Amino acid sequence: MLNKGNTKTQGNVGLGRCIAFATALGYVVSLPLNDAQAYDLIVDNGGKLLRVQVKTSRCLAESGGYRVDLKSSSVYTYKHFDTKLCDYLFVLT
């Protein structure tokens, strides 16, 4: 499923899968209005609001696992993953 498209499309697939996963668990999912946050979505588990960062990978390592870059970049900056800024990491391979 991740073999087609560019990185933006790959990210959208990851976000959609995360939403489907959380919804199947009975959680309410909320999306931020922009992408300035360190998280991609908020999950309401009925008692707490949880910030979730979504990552995807199609880079198979020699060990048999997948390599996941825990940073994002733009033309001028890198954003590194910070455990203080989100509660969960969802990775789609």
Side-chain angles (χ1 to χ4, degrees):
M1 189 76 156
L2 289 177
N3 293 338
K4 297 180 181 176
N6 57 29
T7 57
K8 183 73 171 169
T9 300
Q10 182 175 325
N12 287 339
V13 169
L15 186 62
R17 290 283 187 95
C18 185
I19 292 168
F21 179 79
T23 302
L25 292 174
Y27 300 151
V28 175
V29 177
S30 299
L31 298 172
L33 293 176
N34 57 48
D35 61 354
Q37 299 73 231
Y39 53 87
D40 294 307
L41 53 90
I42 297 170
V43 173
D44 182 346
N45 68 3
K48 193 172 183 182
L49 298 178
L50 304 165
R51 301 162 298 173
V52 180
Q53 174 70 44
V54 178
K55 294 290 185 182
T56 62
S57 178
R58 54 184 168 190
C59 183
L60 189 59
E62 290 181 22
S63 65
Y66 283 86
R67 190 179 120 214
V68 179
D69 287 328
L70 296 180
K71 66 179 178 184
S72 57
S73 62
S74 66
V75 176
Y76 302 107
T77 62
Y78 284 100
K79 292 182 192 175
H80 293 277
F81 182 75
D82 186 344
T83 58
K84 296 178 203 132
L85 301 177
C86 71
D87 301 302
Y88 285 96
L89 176 64
F90 180 92
V91 179
L92 178 66
T93 57

